[in-house]
Coordinates of all heavy atoms in Angstrom, one line a residue:
M1 N 11.0 13.7 23.7 CA 10.9 13.9 22.3 C 11.2 12.6 21.5 O 10.7 12.3 20.5 CB 11.8 15.1 22.0 CG 11.5 15.5 20.5 SD 10.1 16.2 20.3 CE 10.2 16.9 18.7
A2 N 12.2 11.8 22.2 CA 12.6 10.6 21.4 C 11.4 9.6 21.5 O 11.4 8.9 20.4 CB 13.9 10.0 22.1
D3 N 10.7 9.6 22.5 CA 9.5 8.7 22.5 C 8.4 8.9 21.3 O 7.9 8.0 20.8 CB 8.9 8.8 23.9 CG 9.6 8.2 25.0 OD1 10.4 7.3 24.7 OD2 9.5 8.5 26.2
K4 N 8.2 10.2 21.1 CA 7.4 10.6 20.0 C 7.8 10.1 18.7 O 7.1 9.6 17.9 CB 7.1 12.1 20.0 CG 6.1 12.5 19.0 CD 5.9 14.0 19.0 CE 4.9 14.4 18.0 NZ 4.6 15.7 17.9
K5 N 9.2 10.3 18.5 CA 9.8 9.9 17.1 C 9.8 8.4 17.1 O 9.5 7.8 16.0 CB 11.2 10.4 17.1 CG 11.3 11.8 16.7 CD 12.7 12.3 16.4 CE 12.6 13.8 16.0 NZ 13.9 14.2 15.4
E6 N 10.0 7.6 18.1 CA 9.9 6.2 18.1 C 8.5 5.7 17.9 O 8.3 4.8 17.1 CB 10.4 5.7 19.4 CG 12.0 5.6 19.5 CD 12.5 5.2 20.8 OE1 11.7 4.5 21.6 OE2 13.6 5.4 21.2
S7 N 7.5 6.4 18.5 CA 6.1 5.9 18.2 C 5.7 6.2 16.9 O 4.9 5.5 16.2 CB 5.2 6.6 19.2 OG 5.2 8.1 19.1
I8 N 6.2 7.4 16.2 CA 5.9 7.6 14.8 C 6.5 6.6 13.9 O 6.0 6.1 13.0 CB 6.4 9.1 14.4 CG1 5.5 10.1 15.1 CG2 6.4 9.3 13.0 CD1 6.0 11.5 15.0
G9 N 7.8 6.1 14.3 CA 8.4 5.1 13.5 C 7.7 3.8 13.6 O 7.6 3.0 12.6
E10 N 7.2 3.5 14.7 CA 6.3 2.3 14.9 C 5.1 2.3 14.1 O 4.6 1.3 13.5 CB 6.0 1.9 16.4 CG 7.2 1.6 17.2 CD 6.9 1.5 18.7 OE1 5.6 1.7 19.1 OE2 7.8 1.3 19.5
F11 N 4.4 3.5 14.1 CA 3.2 3.8 13.3 C 3.4 3.6 11.8 O 2.7 3.0 11.3 CB 2.7 5.2 13.7 CG 1.4 5.5 13.0 CD1 0.2 4.9 13.7 CD2 1.4 6.4 12.1 CE1 -0.9 5.3 13.1 CE2 0.1 6.9 11.5 CZ -1.0 6.3 12.1
A12 N 4.5 4.2 11.4 CA 4.9 4.0 10.0 C 5.2 2.5 9.6 O 4.8 2.0 8.5 CB 6.1 4.9 9.7
Y13 N 5.8 1.8 10.5 CA 6.2 0.4 10.2 C 4.9 -0.5 10.2 O 4.7 -1.2 9.3 CB 7.0 -0.1 11.4 CG 7.6 -1.4 11.2 CD1 8.6 -1.6 10.3 CD2 7.2 -2.5 11.9 CE1 9.1 -3.0 10.1 CE2 7.6 -3.8 11.7 CZ 8.6 -4.0 10.9 OH 9.2 -5.3 10.6
I14 N 3.9 -0.2 11.1 CA 2.7 -1.0 11.1 C 1.9 -0.7 9.9 O 1.3 -1.5 9.3 CB 2.0 -0.7 12.4 CG1 2.7 -1.2 13.7 CG2 0.5 -1.2 12.4 CD1 2.2 -0.8 14.9
F15 N 1.8 0.6 9.5 CA 1.0 0.9 8.3 C 1.7 0.4 7.1 O 1.0 0.0 6.1 CB 0.9 2.5 8.3 CG -0.3 3.0 8.8 CD1 -0.5 3.0 10.3 CD2 -1.4 3.4 8.1 CE1 -1.6 3.4 10.8 CE2 -2.5 3.9 8.7 CZ -2.7 4.0 10.0
G16 N 2.9 0.2 7.0 CA 3.7 -0.4 5.8 C 3.3 -1.9 5.8 O 3.0 -2.4 4.7
I17 N 3.3 -2.5 6.9 CA 2.9 -4.0 6.9 C 1.4 -4.1 6.4 O 1.2 -5.0 5.7 CB 3.2 -4.6 8.3 CG1 4.6 -4.7 8.6 CG2 2.5 -5.9 8.3 CD1 5.0 -5.1 10.0
I18 N 0.6 -3.3 7.0 CA -0.9 -3.4 6.8 C -1.0 -3.0 5.2 O -1.9 -3.7 4.5 CB -1.7 -2.4 7.5 CG1 -1.7 -2.8 9.0 CG2 -3.0 -2.2 7.0 CD1 -2.3 -1.8 10.0
S19 N -0.3 -2.1 4.7 CA -0.4 -1.8 3.2 C -0.1 -3.0 2.3 O -0.6 -3.2 1.2 CB 0.3 -0.6 2.8 OG 1.8 -0.8 2.8
I20 N 0.9 -3.7 2.7 CA 1.4 -5.0 1.9 C 0.2 -6.0 2.0 O -0.1 -6.6 0.9 CB 2.6 -5.5 2.4 CG1 3.8 -4.5 2.0 CG2 2.9 -6.9 1.7 CD1 5.1 -4.8 2.6
V21 N -0.3 -6.2 3.2 CA -1.4 -7.2 3.3 C -2.7 -6.8 2.5 O -3.2 -7.6 1.8 CB -1.6 -7.4 4.8 CG1 -2.9 -8.3 4.9 CG2 -0.5 -8.1 5.4
L22 N -3.0 -5.6 2.7 CA -4.2 -5.1 2.0 C -4.1 -5.0 0.5 O -5.1 -4.9 -0.3 CB -4.7 -3.8 2.6 CG -5.3 -3.8 4.0 CD1 -5.6 -2.4 4.4 CD2 -6.5 -4.7 4.1
A23 N -2.8 -4.9 0.0 CA -2.7 -4.8 -1.5 C -3.2 -6.0 -2.1 O -3.7 -5.9 -3.3 CB -1.1 -4.7 -1.7
F24 N -3.2 -7.2 -1.5 CA -3.7 -8.3 -2.2 C -5.1 -8.5 -2.1 O -5.8 -9.2 -2.8 CB -2.9 -9.6 -1.6 CG -1.4 -9.6 -2.0 CD1 -0.5 -9.2 -1.1 CD2 -1.0 -9.9 -3.3 CE1 0.8 -9.2 -1.4 CE2 0.3 -9.9 -3.6 CZ 1.2 -9.6 -2.6
F25 N -5.9 -7.9 -1.0 CA -7.3 -8.1 -0.8 C -8.0 -6.9 -1.2 O -9.1 -7.1 -1.9 CB -7.5 -8.4 0.6 CG -6.8 -9.7 1.1 CD1 -5.7 -9.6 2.0 CD2 -7.2 -10.9 0.6 CE1 -5.0 -10.7 2.4 CE2 -6.6 -12.1 1.0 CZ -5.4 -12.0 2.0
T26 N -7.7 -5.7 -0.8 CA -8.3 -4.5 -1.2 C -7.3 -3.5 -1.6 O -6.7 -2.8 -0.7 CB -9.2 -4.0 -0.1 OG1 -8.5 -3.8 1.0 CG2 -10.4 -4.8 0.1
P27 N -6.8 -3.4 -2.9 CA -5.6 -2.6 -3.3 C -5.9 -1.1 -3.0 O -4.8 -0.5 -2.7 CB -5.5 -2.9 -4.9 CG -6.4 -4.1 -5.1 CD -7.4 -4.2 -4.1
V28 N -7.1 -0.7 -3.2 CA -7.3 0.7 -2.9 C -6.9 1.1 -1.4 O -6.2 2.1 -1.1 CB -8.7 1.2 -3.2 CG1 -8.9 2.7 -3.0 CG2 -8.9 1.0 -4.7
A29 N -7.4 0.3 -0.5 CA -7.0 0.4 0.9 C -5.5 0.3 1.2 O -5.0 1.0 1.9 CB -7.9 -0.4 1.8
G30 N -4.9 -0.6 0.5 CA -3.4 -0.9 0.5 C -2.7 0.4 0.1 O -1.7 0.8 0.8
L31 N -3.2 1.0 -0.9 CA -2.6 2.2 -1.4 C -2.8 3.4 -0.4 O -1.7 4.1 -0.2 CB -3.3 2.6 -2.8 CG -2.7 3.9 -3.5 CD1 -1.3 3.6 -3.9 CD2 -3.5 4.2 -4.7
I32 N -3.8 3.5 0.1 CA -4.1 4.6 1.2 C -3.2 4.3 2.3 O -2.6 5.2 2.8 CB -5.6 4.7 1.6 CG1 -6.5 5.1 0.4 CG2 -5.9 5.5 2.8 CD1 -7.9 4.9 0.5
F33 N -3.2 3.0 2.9 CA -2.4 2.9 4.0 C -0.8 3.0 3.8 O 0.0 3.5 4.5 CB -2.5 1.4 4.6 CG -3.7 1.3 5.5 CD1 -5.0 1.1 4.9 CD2 -3.6 1.5 6.9 CE1 -6.1 0.9 5.8 CE2 -4.8 1.5 7.7 CZ -6.0 1.2 7.2
G34 N -0.5 2.7 2.4 CA 0.9 2.9 2.1 C 1.2 4.4 2.0 O 2.4 4.8 2.6
I35 N 0.4 5.1 1.6 CA 0.7 6.7 1.5 C 0.7 7.2 3.0 O 1.5 8.0 3.3 CB -0.5 7.3 0.7 CG1 -0.4 6.9 -0.8 CG2 -0.4 8.9 0.9 CD1 -1.4 7.3 -1.7
I36 N -0.2 6.8 3.8 CA -0.2 7.3 5.2 C 1.2 6.8 5.9 O 1.8 7.6 6.6 CB -1.3 6.7 6.0 CG1 -2.7 7.4 5.5 CG2 -1.2 6.9 7.5 CD1 -3.9 6.7 6.1
G37 N 1.6 5.6 5.6 CA 2.9 5.1 6.2 C 4.1 6.0 5.7 O 5.0 6.3 6.5
M38 N 4.0 6.3 4.4 CA 5.1 7.1 3.8 C 5.1 8.5 4.5 O 6.2 9.0 4.8 CB 5.0 7.3 2.3 CG 5.2 6.1 1.5 SD 6.9 5.8 1.4 CE 7.4 7.2 0.3
V39 N 3.9 9.1 4.6 CA 3.9 10.4 5.2 C 4.4 10.4 6.7 O 5.2 11.3 7.0 CB 2.5 11.0 5.1 CG1 2.3 12.2 6.0 CG2 2.1 11.3 3.7
Q40 N 4.0 9.4 7.4 CA 4.5 9.3 8.8 C 6.0 9.0 9.0 O 6.6 9.5 9.9 CB 3.6 8.2 9.6 CG 2.2 8.5 9.8 CD 2.1 9.8 10.7 OE1 2.7 9.9 11.6 NE2 1.0 10.6 10.3
S41 N 6.5 8.2 8.0 CA 7.9 7.8 8.1 C 8.8 8.9 7.8 O 9.9 9.0 8.2 CB 8.2 6.7 7.2 OG 8.0 7.0 5.7
R42 N 8.5 10.0 7.1 CA 9.3 11.1 6.7 C 9.6 12.1 7.9 O 10.5 12.8 7.9 CB 8.8 11.9 5.5 CG 7.7 12.7 5.8 CD 7.2 13.5 4.6 NE 5.9 14.2 4.9 CZ 5.3 14.9 4.2 NH1 5.8 15.1 3.0 NH2 4.2 15.6 4.6
D43 N 8.7 12.0 8.9 CA 8.9 12.9 10.2 C 10.1 12.4 11.0 O 10.5 13.2 11.7 CB 7.5 12.9 10.8 CG 6.4 13.7 10.1 OD1 6.8 14.4 9.1 OD2 5.4 13.5 10.4
S44 N 10.3 11.1 11.0 CA 11.2 10.4 11.9 C 12.4 9.8 11.1 O 12.1 9.3 10.0 CB 10.5 9.5 12.8 OG 11.4 8.8 13.6
K45 N 13.5 9.9 11.7 CA 14.7 9.2 11.0 C 15.3 8.0 11.8 O 16.4 7.7 11.7 CB 15.8 10.2 10.8 CG 15.4 11.4 10.0 CD 15.1 11.0 8.5 CE 14.7 12.2 7.8 NZ 13.8 11.9 6.6
T46 N 14.4 7.3 12.6 CA 14.8 6.2 13.3 C 14.8 4.9 12.3 O 14.4 5.0 11.2 CB 13.8 5.9 14.4 OG1 12.6 5.6 13.9 CG2 13.8 7.0 15.4
L47 N 15.6 4.0 12.9 CA 15.7 2.8 12.0 C 14.3 2.2 11.6 O 14.0 1.7 10.5 CB 16.6 1.8 12.7 CG 16.8 0.3 12.0 CD1 17.5 0.7 10.8 CD2 17.5 -0.5 12.9
L48 N 13.5 2.2 12.6 CA 12.1 1.6 12.4 C 11.2 2.4 11.4 O 10.6 1.8 10.5 CB 11.3 1.5 13.7 CG 10.1 0.6 13.8 CD1 10.6 -0.8 13.4 CD2 9.6 0.6 15.2
S49 N 11.5 3.6 11.5 CA 10.7 4.5 10.4 C 11.3 4.4 9.0 O 10.6 4.4 8.0 CB 10.7 6.0 10.8 OG 12.1 6.4 10.7
M50 N 12.6 4.0 8.8 CA 13.1 3.8 7.6 C 12.7 2.4 7.0 O 12.4 2.3 5.8 CB 14.7 3.7 7.7 CG 15.4 5.1 7.9 SD 17.1 5.0 7.9 CE 17.5 6.5 8.7
K51 N 12.6 1.5 7.9 CA 12.0 0.2 7.5 C 10.5 0.4 7.0 O 10.1 -0.2 6.1 CB 12.0 -0.8 8.7 CG 13.5 -1.3 8.8 CD 13.5 -2.4 10.0 CE 14.9 -2.9 10.3 NZ 14.9 -3.9 11.3
G52 N 9.9 1.2 7.9 CA 8.4 1.5 7.5 C 8.2 2.1 6.2 O 7.3 1.9 5.5
K53 N 9.2 3.0 5.8 CA 9.2 3.6 4.6 C 9.4 2.6 3.4 O 8.6 2.8 2.4 CB 10.2 4.8 4.5 CG 10.2 5.7 3.2 CD 11.2 6.8 3.4 CE 11.0 7.7 2.3 NZ 11.9 9.0 2.5
K54 N 10.3 1.8 3.5 CA 10.5 0.7 2.6 C 9.2 -0.2 2.4 O 8.8 -0.5 1.2 CB 11.7 -0.1 2.9 CG 13.0 0.5 2.7 CD 14.1 -0.3 3.2 CE 15.4 0.5 3.1 NZ 16.6 -0.4 3.7
L55 N 8.7 -0.6 3.5 CA 7.5 -1.4 3.5 C 6.3 -0.7 2.9 O 5.5 -1.2 2.1 CB 7.1 -1.9 4.9 CG 8.0 -2.9 5.6 CD1 7.6 -3.1 7.0 CD2 8.0 -4.2 4.7
S56 N 6.1 0.7 3.2 CA 5.1 1.5 2.6 C 5.3 1.6 1.1 O 4.3 1.5 0.3 CB 5.1 2.9 3.2 OG 4.7 2.7 4.6
K57 N 6.5 1.8 0.6 CA 6.8 1.8 -0.9 C 6.4 0.5 -1.5 O 5.8 0.5 -2.5 CB 8.3 2.1 -1.1 CG 8.7 3.6 -0.9 CD 10.2 3.7 -1.2 CE 10.7 5.0 -0.9 NZ 12.2 5.1 -1.1
L58 N 6.8 -0.6 -0.9 CA 6.3 -1.8 -1.4 C 4.9 -2.0 -1.5 O 4.3 -2.5 -2.4 CB 7.1 -2.9 -0.6 CG 6.8 -4.4 -1.0 CD1 7.4 -4.7 -2.5 CD2 7.4 -5.3 -0.2
G59 N 4.2 -1.7 -0.4 CA 2.8 -1.7 -0.4 C 2.2 -0.9 -1.5 O 1.1 -1.3 -2.1
I60 N 2.6 0.3 -1.7 CA 2.0 1.2 -2.8 C 2.4 0.5 -4.1 O 1.5 0.6 -4.9 CB 2.7 2.6 -2.7 CG1 2.3 3.3 -1.4 CG2 2.5 3.4 -3.9 CD1 3.0 4.5 -1.2
I61 N 3.5 0.1 -4.4 CA 3.8 -0.6 -5.7 C 2.9 -1.8 -5.9 O 2.4 -1.9 -7.0 CB 5.2 -0.9 -5.8 CG1 6.1 0.3 -5.8 CG2 5.6 -1.9 -6.9 CD1 7.6 0.1 -5.6
L62 N 2.8 -2.7 -4.9 CA 1.9 -3.8 -5.1 C 0.4 -3.4 -5.3 O -0.3 -4.1 -6.0 CB 2.0 -4.7 -3.8 CG 3.4 -5.5 -3.7 CD1 3.4 -6.2 -2.3 CD2 3.5 -6.5 -4.8
S63 N 0.0 -2.4 -4.5 CA -1.4 -2.0 -4.7 C -1.6 -1.5 -6.1 O -2.6 -1.8 -6.7 CB -1.8 -0.8 -3.7 OG -1.7 -1.4 -2.4
I64 N -0.7 -0.6 -6.6 CA -0.8 -0.2 -8.0 C -0.9 -1.3 -9.0 O -1.7 -1.4 -9.9 CB 0.2 0.9 -8.3 CG1 0.0 2.1 -7.5 CG2 0.3 1.2 -9.8 CD1 1.2 3.2 -7.6
I65 N 0.1 -2.3 -8.8 CA 0.1 -3.5 -9.7 C -1.3 -4.3 -9.7 O -1.8 -4.6 -10.6 CB 1.2 -4.4 -9.4 CG1 2.6 -3.7 -9.8 CG2 1.2 -5.7 -10.1 CD1 3.8 -4.4 -9.3
M66 N -1.8 -4.4 -8.5 CA -3.0 -5.2 -8.3 C -4.2 -4.5 -8.9 O -5.0 -5.0 -9.4 CB -3.2 -5.6 -6.8 CG -2.3 -6.6 -6.2 SD -2.3 -8.2 -7.1 CE -3.9 -8.7 -6.7
I67 N -4.2 -3.0 -8.7 CA -5.3 -2.3 -9.3 C -5.3 -2.5 -10.9 O -6.4 -2.6 -11.5 CB -5.2 -0.9 -8.9 CG1 -5.5 -0.7 -7.5 CG2 -6.0 0.1 -9.8 CD1 -5.3 0.6 -6.8
L68 N -4.1 -2.3 -11.4 CA -4.0 -2.5 -12.9 C -4.5 -3.9 -13.4 O -5.1 -4.1 -14.4 CB -2.6 -2.2 -13.3 CG -2.1 -0.8 -13.2 CD1 -0.6 -0.6 -13.5 CD2 -2.8 0.1 -14.0
I69 N -4.0 -4.9 -12.5 CA -4.5 -6.3 -12.9 C -6.0 -6.4 -12.8 O -6.6 -7.0 -13.6 CB -3.8 -7.3 -12.0 CG1 -2.3 -7.5 -12.3 CG2 -4.4 -8.7 -12.0 CD1 -1.5 -8.3 -11.3
M70 N -6.6 -5.9 -11.7 CA -8.1 -5.9 -11.6 C -8.7 -5.1 -12.8 O -9.8 -5.7 -13.2 CB -8.5 -5.3 -10.3 CG -8.0 -6.2 -9.1 SD -8.4 -5.5 -7.5 CE -10.0 -6.3 -7.1
L71 N -8.2 -4.1 -13.1 CA -8.8 -3.4 -14.2 C -8.7 -4.2 -15.5 O -9.6 -4.2 -16.4 CB -8.1 -2.0 -14.4 CG -8.5 -1.0 -13.4 CD1 -7.7 0.3 -13.6 CD2 -10.0 -0.6 -13.5
A72 N -7.6 -4.7 -15.8 CA -7.3 -5.6 -17.0 C -8.3 -6.7 -17.1 O -8.9 -7.0 -18.1 CB -5.9 -6.0 -17.1
V73 N -8.4 -7.4 -15.9 CA -9.3 -8.6 -15.9 C -10.9 -8.1 -16.0 O -11.6 -8.7 -16.7 CB -9.1 -9.3 -14.5 CG1 -10.3 -10.3 -14.3 CG2 -7.9 -10.0 -14.5
G74 N -11.1 -6.9 -15.4 CA -12.5 -6.5 -15.6 C -12.8 -6.1 -17.0 O -13.9 -6.4 -17.5
I75 N -11.9 -5.5 -17.7 CA -12.1 -5.0 -19.0 C -12.2 -6.3 -19.9 O -13.0 -6.3 -20.8 CB -10.9 -4.1 -19.5 CG1 -11.1 -2.8 -18.9 CG2 -11.0 -3.9 -21.1 CD1 -10.0 -1.8 -19.1
Y76 N -11.3 -7.3 -19.8 CA -11.3 -8.5 -20.5 C -12.6 -9.3 -20.3 O -13.1 -9.7 -21.4 CB -10.1 -9.4 -20.1 CG -9.9 -10.7 -20.8 CD1 -9.5 -10.7 -22.2 CD2 -10.4 -11.8 -20.3 CE1 -9.5 -11.9 -22.9 CE2 -10.3 -13.0 -20.9 CZ -9.9 -13.0 -22.2 OH -9.8 -14.2 -22.9
S77 N -13.0 -9.4 -19.1 CA -14.3 -10.2 -18.9 C -15.5 -9.4 -19.5 O -16.4 -10.1 -19.9 CB -14.4 -10.5 -17.4 OG -14.5 -9.4 -16.6
G78 N -15.4 -8.1 -19.4 CA -16.5 -7.3 -20.0 C -16.5 -7.4 -21.5 O -17.6 -7.6 -21.9
L79 N -15.5 -7.4 -22.0 CA -15.4 -7.6 -23.5 C -15.9 -9.0 -23.9 O -16.6 -9.2 -24.9 CB -14.0 -7.3 -24.1 CG -13.6 -5.9 -24.0 CD1 -12.1 -5.8 -24.5 CD2 -14.5 -4.9 -24.9
N80 N -15.6 -10.0 -23.2 CA -15.9 -11.4 -23.4 C -17.4 -11.6 -23.2 O -18.1 -12.3 -23.9 CB -15.1 -12.4 -22.6 CG -13.8 -12.8 -23.2 OD1 -13.6 -12.5 -24.4 ND2 -12.9 -13.3 -22.3
S81 N -18.0 -10.9 -22.2 CA -19.4 -11.1 -22.1 C -20.2 -10.4 -23.2 O -21.3 -10.8 -23.5 CB -19.8 -10.4 -20.7 OG -19.7 -9.0 -20.7
L82 N -19.7 -9.4 -23.8 CA -20.3 -8.8 -25.0 C -20.2 -9.7 -26.1 O -21.2 -9.8 -27.0 CB -19.7 -7.4 -25.4 CG -19.9 -6.3 -24.4 CD1 -19.1 -4.9 -24.8 CD2 -21.5 -5.9 -24.3
D83 N -19.1 -10.5 -26.2 CA -19.1 -11.4 -27.3 C -20.1 -12.6 -27.2 O -20.8 -13.0 -28.1 CB -17.6 -12.0 -27.4 CG -16.6 -11.0 -27.9 OD1 -17.0 -10.0 -28.6 OD2 -15.4 -11.3 -27.8
L84 N -20.3 -12.9 -25.9 CA -21.3 -14.0 -25.7 C -22.7 -13.6 -26.0 O -23.6 -14.4 -26.4 CB -21.1 -14.5 -24.2 CG -19.8 -15.2 -23.9 CD1 -19.8 -15.5 -22.4 CD2 -19.7 -16.5 -24.6
L85 N -22.9 -12.3 -25.8 CA -24.3 -11.7 -26.1 C -24.6 -11.5 -27.6 O -25.7 -11.3 -28.1 CB -24.5 -10.4 -25.4 CG -24.5 -10.6 -23.9 CD1 -24.7 -9.1 -23.2 CD2 -25.8 -11.4 -23.4
G86 N -23.4 -11.7 -28.4 CA -23.5 -11.5 -29.9 C -23.5 -10.1 -30.2 O -24.0 -9.7 -31.3
A87 N -23.0 -9.2 -29.4 CA -22.9 -7.8 -29.8 C -21.6 -7.6 -30.8 O -20.7 -8.2 -30.7 CB -22.8 -6.9 -28.6

């Protein structure tokens, strides 16, 4: 039983790291991986799963920030392209 909890902790830790990396390149995927890491880390109370939970939270926060930045840049550039067309 301890092996299963340790493997779940490793799984959550890996997904937390992946969510942070993907937050900068594809924020939606980073958000999904962060949520999966959070769900997996709550099943186990090992040290590795607690670290995975922290990394997943960070990945979720970074993903949300990057999504908001991408939306703001998209809206801004869309409005500027309308100004260039004379609308």
Side-chain angles (χ1 to χ4, degrees):
M1 189 69 168
D3 291 333
K4 184 178 180 184
K5 287 190 176 191
E6 287 178 10
S7 65
I8 290 174
E10 290 174 4
F11 186 70
Y13 187 75
I14 291 169
F15 268 70
I17 292 172
I18 291 172
S19 71
I20 291 172
V21 172
L22 290 179
F24 294 104
F25 300 108
T26 54
V28 175
L31 183 66
I32 292 169
F33 276 92
I35 291 171
I36 292 171
M38 285 286 291
V39 170
Q40 291 298 322
S41 67
R42 72 175 174 184
D43 294 338
S44 176
K45 299 299 179 202
T46 63
L47 182 63
L48 200 56
S49 69
M50 289 182 201
K51 288 181 182 179
K53 187 173 188 175
K54 289 178 185 178
L55 290 173
S56 295
K57 283 182 186 178
L58 182 62
I60 290 170
I61 291 169
L62 288 174
S63 295
I64 291 171
I65 289 170
M66 292 303 292
I67 288 171
L68 292 175
I69 288 172
M70 292 174 96
L71 285 173
V73 168
I75 290 170
Y76 179 75
S77 61
L79 291 176
N80 277 344
S81 67
L82 288 177
D83 289 339
L84 293 175
L85 294 174

